[in-house]
Amino acid sequence: MSETTSAAETAAPHRYTAAMAADIEARWQDFWDAEGTYEAPNPSGDLAGDAELAARPKKFIMDMFPYPSGAGLHVGHPLGYIATDVFARHQRMTGHNVLHTLGFDAFGLPAEQYAVQTGTHPRVSTESNIENMTAQLRRLGLGHDKRRSFATIESEYYKWTQWIFLQIFNSWYDTEADRARPIAELVAQFESGARPTPDGRDWSALSAVERADVLGEYRLAYASDAPVNWSPGLGTVLANEEVTADGRSERGNFPVFKAKLRQWNMRITAYADRLLNDLDGLDWPEAIKLQQRNWIGRSEGARVDFPVDGADSITVFTTRQDTLFGATYMVLAPEHELVERITPAAWPEGTHAVWTGGYASPAEAVAAYRKLAAAKSDVERQAEAKDKTGVFTGAYATNPVSGEKVPVFIADYVLMGYGTGAIMAVPAHDARDFAFARAFELPMRCVVEPSDDRGTDPSAWDDAFGSYDAKLVNSANDEISLDGLGVVDAKARITEWLTAHGVGEGTVNFRLRDWLFSRQRYWGEPFPIVYDEDGIAHPLPESMLPLELPEVDDYSPRTFDPDDADTQPETPLSRNADWVDVTLDLGDGNGPKKYRRETNTMPNWAGSCWYELRYLDPNNDQKLVDPAIEQYWMGPREGQPTGGVDLYVGGAEHAVLHLLYARFWSKVLHDLGHISSAEPFHKLYNQGMIQAFVYRDGRGIAVPAAEVEERDGQFYYQGEKVSRVLGKMGKSLKNAVTPDEICAEYGADTLRLYEMAMGPLDVSRPWDTRAVVGQFRLLQRLWRNVVDEETGAVTVVDTEPGEETLRALHKAIDGVGQDMAGMRFNTAIAKVTELNNHLTKAGGPLSRSVAESLVLLVAPLAPHIAEELWRRLGHTESVVHQDFPVADPAYVVDETVTCVVQVKGKVKARLEISPSISDEELEALALADPAVVAALDGAGIRKVIVRAPKLVNIVPA
C-alpha cells in the first residue's frame, strides 16, 4: 500500500489523499471548461468578451508547439507547460488579461513513417495522438484558452500558411528601402525602364520564360537548381540546419550527400543584417543570441574578381584582401558552376604531373574528383585532414594586382555554402592553403612580415604565418604599394584600388544561406504553385486556397540505399496523376489552361513560423489576423520596440532553426503591412531538461528503470548488476515516467509542485519519484490547516492573527510575489512551505485572513486544491481571477536588526536597533554604549564610519 493510501489516512475520512485529489481535480477541470474560466477576451471580433478584462494590461504567454507523438508525454515534457501556466496564473492575479493557449505542430516525418510502416493514414494517427496528449495535458490543470487551440494539419490553418508562402513568393527585397515590397512594383520598374533588365533589353522584348527567370533572381521565395543536402536513406533533401555535425541526417542518422536539384528556397539572406541587428532589442538569453549571430555569421571583407582565360571571371570573397599579392593559386568548390565552363579539353603544355591526379584530360580528372567530393559531408570536407586532395581544372586566372597567371584547382575543403564557393589561396599565411600548396608543389609568397625568426622564404617554413599584428611586405605594383602598412590600413588601401579599377569592392558576407524549403514528403503543406507548359511557376489565386492534400495509397517517398549518392528524389504526390495534372483558370486573363502541380511539400517548420498569430484570431477566414487584434496582443510598445509575444518558453535546441525562420516570416509580413510586430517573440526563456537515470546491463542495453533494485550502493536488474548514468528520459531508454502515473499516485497539484520545486527552471535536473511525496505532504499540511480531517469542516476563525504570524505571512507574500514574477518557482515554493510550516507549528485554528492569503499564494502553483479551499472558505467566484495578496511593508522588514560596533577594527558591542534608524541616531547610540566607552578609555575620536543599520566603525585619535 502506498504512502498516499495508508491505514492512517483512510481512518480520517476528510484527509487529502490521492483519491480526494483526483476527485477535486476532475471536478474543477470540468468547471473551468464549462465556465470558460481561462478565456482571454480580444478587444474586438468573435472572441471579444469582458470589456473590463480586455481593458487591462495584456500578457501573451506561449509555449513552443508540441509534436503529438504516439508515445505520449513523460514527466519531462510538461516542465515548460507547468511553468508558463504558473506564470500566467500569477499574471491574471496581478491585473492582466492573459492569453495562454496551446496547439499542435502536427505535420512532419514521424506520422508519415508510422503510416508507411502500418498503412494508417497520417491524419488518423496524428489526430489520435493529439486526443491522447490533450487528455494528458488537461489532467495537469493547465489554464489554456481552448477556443484558440488548433493543429497545423487543419486545412483552415494551413490555408494561411499557403497564403503566407504566396506573399513571400510575390515579394522582393528592395535594398534601398531596406524592406520587402510586392513583386508587382518591381515589374512596374522593369516595364517603365526605371530598372534595366540584366541584358539591357526592354521588358517587353523578353519572353515569358525570360521574365520569370529575371523575377526569380529577386523573389523572396524562388525555385533554383542548387547544391542540396540529399539523403537517399530518407528519400528527401534537408536544410543545412537538419544535418548533424558529422554529416548525417538529424532524423534517422542517414548519410547526407551533396546533389544538384531544383528546389524551393526562401531568400532569408536578404534579411541577414536585420536578423542580426534586431537581436539587440530582444529579451533573450545571451547564449541563444550568440548562436544566432554565429549562424548568421557576418564578416566584412572584399569581393575580388580574377579574370579567367576567355570571358569568365572567378569572384572571391576574402576578409584578408591585404594579402592579395600573396595569392599564388585559386580553389573552386567542386560544385561551382564555373568548373565545367573553364575546364579545357586538354592539359596545358607543361602541366605538373601531380596536378592531374593521373587522368588523361582535365574533364576526366574533374568528373572523378567531383564524384569523390559528393560522397563526403561538409564536416568531413572541412576536417583538418593530413592529406589534402584536389585536382587542377586546366584553367588559369589572373591575379588582378600582380598580373600573374595562377592555376585554378578544385578541392573539397572549399564549400559552396560560404562566400562565393571560390577562394584565392595565400599559402604562406593560411594553414590549409599551406598544406595544399605543399601537397601539390605550388609556389608561396610571403606578404606579411613574420614576427619570429623564420625569415621571408616560405619554402623553408614548417607552417603558415598569419597575423593581424604585422606589416605588409612584397606587396607592390606600379600603381600601389602596401609595403610597410599594418593590416587595417593595407585593407583600406587595396579595397580603394580594387574599386577604382573595377575589379572588386568592399563588401559584407554572411555565413547564413538561403532556406531550403522543399521536402519530398507527403505529410506536409502542399505548395500553392502550378507550372505551365513552359515550366513557369504560377501562384494559385487566394480563392483556390486551401490546396488540400489528396488521399494517396502510398505515403512513402522513394528511398534508396543510404550510401547511394547517384539517386534522385521521387515524391509520393508525383504518383497521383489526377491531382498533379489539372486544368485551371487562374484568373489572369488567359482562361482555362493545363498545369502541373508542385509535388514537393513544405518542411515541417512552415506551420510553426507563424502560429503565434493564429492564436490571436483563430476563426478568421477572411484575413491572416485582424490588425487591431494583432496590435493589441503583439504590437510594439514601450520596452518592446519590435513587438512580439511577451513570454515564449521552450527548449534551447530550437536556437537556430525555428526561431530564425519565424523571425524571417514576421519581418516579411511586417514589411508588407500585414502585422505591426517585426519580431515574433520579445522575451525568450529556455527551460532546463528533466533527466532520469539510465540503467544498462553488461551488453550495454537499457533495462527498465522501475525494476532496478539498489543494494549497498550497487544496482541490480533481475539479479544481474547494472550500470547507472544520468541521461535523457525516454521510451527507448526504458526510464520514462508518465505524468499519468504520478497523477494517479499523488494528484496533478503534487506533480506541478514537484516539477517547479526541483530547482531553477533553466537548469536541468534529475527526476526522483521517491522525492515527489515531499510536495504531497506540503499539500496535506495546507489542507489540514484549513479543513478538519475528521469532519470536513472549515476550521478558520474570524480573529486577528498575532504579530509573529503577520510578519511571517507578509514576508512570504512579498517573497513569493517577487519569485513568481521572476519565474523563480522553486524558491517561491520554499517560501510557501516555510509559511505553512510556521502556521502548523503555531497551532490553533488559522485566522480567516491568513488562510485566504495562504490559499491565494498557492493558487498559481496548485490551482485545484486552491480552488477547492477557496470555495470551502465561502467564496462563490473562482480563485483564478482573485487579486494576488499584497504585502504590508511594515511587516516585511525585520522588527530589529543587529548592528556590530567596532573600535580599531575589533567588535566591542552588538546593538539591537530598528532597521529604519538614521546614521546620526545610530552613531549616538554606539558612542553611548558602555562597552564602547570602556574600549575608548577616554581617547579622542578621529573618525566614525556609520553604515546603518548594520555597522559602526570607530577610529580613535
Side-chain angles (χ1 to χ4, degrees):
M1 185 174 287
S2 73
E3 291 184 70
T4 59
T5 56
S6 66
E9 289 170 340
T10 54
H14 297 280
R15 176 167 292 183
Y16 183 81
T17 63
M20 178 181 282
D23 173 67
I24 290 172
E25 289 163 5
R27 279 193 291 107
W28 286 115
Q29 287 162 16
D30 289 343
F31 174 86
W32 293 329
D33 284 352
E35 294 295 313
T37 301
Y38 302 108
E39 292 177 359
N42 279 343
S44 58
D46 66 314
L47 297 187
D50 185 339
E52 184 181 344
L53 182 54
R56 294 180 177 184
K58 62 87 190 179
K59 281 289 180 185
F60 184 6
I61 298 166
M62 263 182 67
D63 300 278
M64 288 188 184
F65 249 175
Y67 185 84
S69 163
L73 298 175
H74 60 63
V75 292
H77 291 124
L79 178 68
Y81 307 150
I82 295 170
T84 52
D85 186 61
V86 174
F87 184 75
R89 289 174 181 278
H90 179 255
Q91 291 297 305
R92 286 190 194 95
M93 297 177 76
T94 52
H96 295 84
N97 182 23
V98 177
L99 193 168
H100 189 213
T101 191
L102 194 70
F104 294 93
D105 188 13
F107 276 125
L109 202 53
E112 186 172 292
Q113 289 179 324
Y114 185 75
V116 171
Q117 294 164 6
T118 65
T120 307
H121 193 286
R123 180 175 296 280
V124 173
S125 61
T126 300
E127 289 179 346
S128 174
N129 295 342
I130 289 174
E131 185 178 354
N132 177 52
M133 191 174 288
T134 299
Q136 287 187 296
L137 291 169
R138 184 181 188 271
R139 194 170 184 181
L140 298 174
L142 303 176
H144 293 151
D145 184 343
K146 296 181 179 179
R147 304 170 303 165
R148 300 174 184 265
S149 185
F150 56 82
T152 55
I153 59 174
E154 296 167 8
S155 59
E156 298 87 355
Y157 179 82
Y158 70 73
K159 164 189 174 178
W160 295 105
T161 308
Q162 293 171 334
W163 182 87
I164 295 172
F165 174 84
L166 293 179
Q167 306 311 300
I168 299 172
F169 174 77
N170 285 319
S171 302
W172 63 292
Y173 200 85
D174 184 343
T175 54
E176 293 182 5
D178 200 23
R179 66 177 180 87
R181 294 173 59 186
I183 202 75
E185 296 179 12
L186 179 65
V187 172
Q189 290 183 13
F190 282 127
E191 288 177 335
S192 69
R195 182 182 293 267
T197 61
D199 63 5
R201 287 185 292 160
D202 287 343
W203 185 251
S204 59
L206 271 58
S207 68
V209 172
E210 289 173 325
R211 291 181 190 177
D213 288 344
V214 170
L215 294 178
E217 295 298 315
Y218 289 86
R219 291 187 188 274
L220 289 178
Y222 64 95
S224 69
D225 293 315
V228 296
N229 300 306
W230 165 236
S231 175
L234 283 177
T236 190
V237 299
L238 303 169
N240 289 339
E241 298 88 344
E242 295 172 302
V243 181
T244 64
D246 57 353
R248 302 179 76 85
S249 62
E250 190 175 48
R251 184 170 291 279
N253 197 36
F254 290 109
V256 176
F257 304 96
K258 285 295 181 186
K260 204 164 192 178
L261 299 171
R262 190 161 187 81
Q263 303 287 307
W264 281 99
N265 298 273
M266 292 276 179
R267 207 178 298 275
I268 191 173
T269 50
Y271 283 83
D273 266 324
R274 284 171 61 185
L275 289 168
L276 200 59
N277 295 336
D278 286 355
L279 283 170
D280 293 338
L282 300 180
D283 185 4
W284 286 18
E286 281 303 318
I288 301 296
K289 288 185 179 183
L290 180 61
Q291 286 185 64
Q292 290 229 343
R293 290 188 182 105
N294 290 342
W295 191 263
I296 295 167
R298 187 181 193 275
S299 54
E300 294 186 10
R303 171 186 63 78
V304 186
D305 296 328
F306 285 70
V308 182
D309 295 339
D312 288 304
S313 285
I314 297 173
T315 299
V316 303
F317 170 81
T318 177
T319 59
R320 289 300 303 268
Q321 61 267 41
D322 55 302
T323 64
L324 188 50
F325 281 93
T328 57
Y329 67 96
M330 301 190 74
V331 183
L332 302 180
E335 306 87 355
H336 200 290
E337 62 180 0
L338 283 180
V339 173
E340 292 177 4
R341 294 214 298 269
I342 67 173
T343 301
W347 295 116
E349 186 176 347
T351 296
H352 198 320
V354 76
W355 295 3
T356 68
Y359 290 92
S361 70
E364 291 178 71
V366 165
Y369 190 79
R370 280 178 138 181
K371 186 172 183 179
L372 185 72
K376 294 183 180 180
S377 70
D378 285 358
V379 174
E380 289 174 317
R381 287 170 57 167
Q382 288 184 295
E384 293 295 332
K386 184 177 180 181
D387 299 322
K388 295 295 178 187
T389 64
V391 70
F392 178 41
T393 63
Y396 284 86
T398 301
N399 184 319
V401 293
S402 69
E404 295 176 346
K405 296 286 187 182
V406 294
V408 181
F409 284 75
I410 59 172
D412 60 12
Y413 76 91
V414 177
L415 305 176
M416 282 303 299
Y418 182 78
T420 65
I423 66 163
M424 62 176 210
V426 185
H429 307 293
D430 179 272
R432 291 186 307 170
D433 294 346
F434 184 93
F436 190 90
R438 277 284 164 88
F440 288 88
E441 301 177 17
L442 288 157
M444 304 187 205
R445 178 178 297 110
C446 174
V447 293
V448 178
E449 187 175 41
S451 56
D452 52 25
D453 58 0
R454 68 175 65 201
T456 57
D457 179 9
S459 64
W461 296 356
D462 294 325
D463 54 18
F465 173 80
S467 174
Y468 272 86
D469 184 21
K471 302 291 185 184
L472 274 292
V473 295
N474 301 324
S475 298
N477 61 26
D478 292 341
E479 299 178 4
I480 183 174
S481 174
L482 307 181
D483 291 345
L485 295 178
V487 170
V488 174
D489 291 338
K491 281 185 176 184
R493 184 171 296 184
I494 194 65
T495 301
E496 290 176 8
W497 188 91
L498 291 168
T499 304
H501 286 72
V503 291
E505 62 181 348
T507 189
V508 174
N509 190 63
F510 295 91
R511 179 179 180 268
L512 180 68
R513 299 294 91 191
D514 281 345
W515 174 15
L516 181 68
F517 201 70
S518 294
R519 296 296 183 275
Q520 292 67 47
R521 316 297 313 183
Y522 167 72
W523 195 231
E525 298 93 338
F527 281 92
I529 293 289
V530 292
Y531 299 91
D532 63 21
E533 293 175 345
D534 293 322
I536 298 173
H538 296 267
L540 291 180
E542 188 176 331
S543 61
M544 291 186 181
L545 302 182
L547 173 60
E548 298 193 30
L549 272 174
E551 296 294 323
V552 300
D553 296 324
D554 182 4
Y555 311 111
S556 58
R558 185 180 177 192
T559 56
F560 305 88
D561 180 330
D563 296 308
D564 187 356
D566 294 328
T567 48
Q568 291 279 319
E570 180 187 290
T571 66
L573 292 180
S574 67
R575 299 192 285 266
N576 192 334
D578 291 341
W579 184 82
V580 174
D581 299 313
V582 290
T583 298
L584 301 172
D585 184 347
L586 299 182
D588 54 6
N590 294 320
K593 289 181 63 177
K594 290 182 177 180
Y595 295 97
R596 176 178 53 84
R597 294 196 192 278
E598 172 62 70
T599 59
N600 287 312
T601 53
M602 298 186 199
N604 61 302
W605 308 105
S608 59
C609 273
W610 72 281
Y611 70 121
E612 70 282 356
L613 299 172
R614 191 62 175 175
Y615 285 152
L616 308 182
D617 197 10
N619 304 318
N620 198 331
D621 60 359
Q622 299 300 311
K623 289 183 177 180
L624 177 75
V625 61
D626 183 290
I629 294 173
E630 187 273 336
Q631 174 72 47
Y632 173 84
W633 288 111
M634 290 184 62
R637 61 203 66 218
E638 187 177 353
Q640 299 182 16
T642 50
V645 173
D646 296 291
L647 175 65
Y648 192 39
V649 174
E653 66 271 17
H654 297 293
V656 171
L657 289 168
H658 159 59
L659 292 174
L660 199 61
Y661 296 158
R663 295 181 65 214
F664 166 53
W665 277 34
S666 285
K667 291 186 183 301
V668 177
L669 291 170
H670 174 264
D671 286 357
L672 298 176
H674 298 301
I675 58 176
S676 65
S677 48
E679 286 282 345
F681 314 115
H682 172 69
K683 180 178 176 63
L684 175 69
Y685 190 99
N686 297 130
Q687 86 273 15
M689 182 188 299
I690 289 184
Q691 299 170 304
F693 287 114
V694 183
Y695 298 90
R696 298 185 184 276
D697 62 20
R699 301 166 297 166
I701 296 174
V703 302
E707 299 175 28
V708 171
E709 298 177 4
E710 182 178 358
R711 299 182 220 146
D712 300 324
Q714 303 294 321
F715 303 95
Y716 297 86
Y717 172 67
Q718 295 181 349
E720 179 189 347
K721 191 174 179 181
V722 294
S723 63
R724 184 181 81 164
V725 294
L726 195 60
K728 291 178 67 174
M729 183 178 286
K731 187 177 179 181
S732 63
L733 297 174
K734 300 181 181 179
N735 63 351
V737 178
T738 70
D740 306 53
E741 296 172 54
I742 303 302
C743 288
E745 184 77 6
Y746 299 104
D749 280 340
T750 295
L751 173 62
R752 291 169 60 101
L753 279 175
Y754 177 65
E755 294 216 358
M756 293 300 95
M758 291 172 75
L761 184 60
D762 58 351
V763 175
S764 293
R765 73 296 302 269
W767 176 269
D768 183 359
T769 299
R770 295 169 300 181
V772 177
V773 71
Q775 299 306 317
F776 182 68
R777 288 173 179 153
L778 167 62
L779 294 179
Q780 287 183 312
R781 287 192 292 271
L782 170 67
W783 180 266
R784 197 180 300 127
N785 274 330
V786 179
V787 176
D788 186 293
E789 292 183 334
E790 295 296 332
T791 67
V794 171
T795 59
V796 301
V797 293
D798 292 319
T799 58
E800 287 300 311
E803 180 86 4
E804 188 178 353
T805 292
L806 282 173
R807 289 196 177 279
L809 174 64
H810 286 278
K811 280 187 176 183
I813 290 172
D814 180 60
V816 172
Q818 291 186 46
D819 287 344
M820 291 278 192
M823 299 182 72
R824 298 183 297 272
F825 304 127
N826 60 317
T827 54
I829 292 170
K831 292 179 175 71
V832 168
T833 304
E834 185 179 356
L835 172 63
N836 198 50
N837 289 343
H838 168 86
L839 299 174
T840 301
K841 291 174 183 176
L846 296 187
S847 298
R848 174 173 291 276
S849 61
V850 174
E852 291 184 346
S853 293
L854 178 62
V855 170
L856 292 171
L857 281 181
V858 83
L861 294 155
H864 306 92
I865 193 172
E867 191 77 89
E868 180 73 13
L869 291 173
W870 190 247
R871 292 307 173 99
R872 291 192 180 217
L873 286 166
H875 299 280
T876 57
E877 295 183 349
S878 171
V879 75
V880 170
H881 292 286
Q882 299 306 306
D883 291 338
F884 198 78
V886 177
D888 184 338
Y891 292 110
V892 172
V893 297
D894 290 323
E895 192 171 7
T896 63
V897 294
T898 301
C899 175
V900 172
V901 183
Q902 296 178 334
V903 177
K904 289 200 285 189
K906 294 183 178 181
V907 177
K908 295 299 179 181
R910 287 183 170 85
L911 309 177
E912 294 297 316
I913 46 92
S914 166
S916 59
I917 194 171
S918 68
D919 285 358
E920 294 76 14
E921 291 175 306
L922 183 55
E923 181 177 340
L925 280 175
L927 292 175
D929 185 88
V932 172
V933 171
L936 289 171
D937 194 24
I941 298 172
R942 183 157 59 91
K943 184 190 296 185
V944 179
I945 302 167
V946 182
R947 298 286 183 266
K950 294 293 184 70
L951 176 68
V952 176
N953 190 10
I954 302 169
V955 182

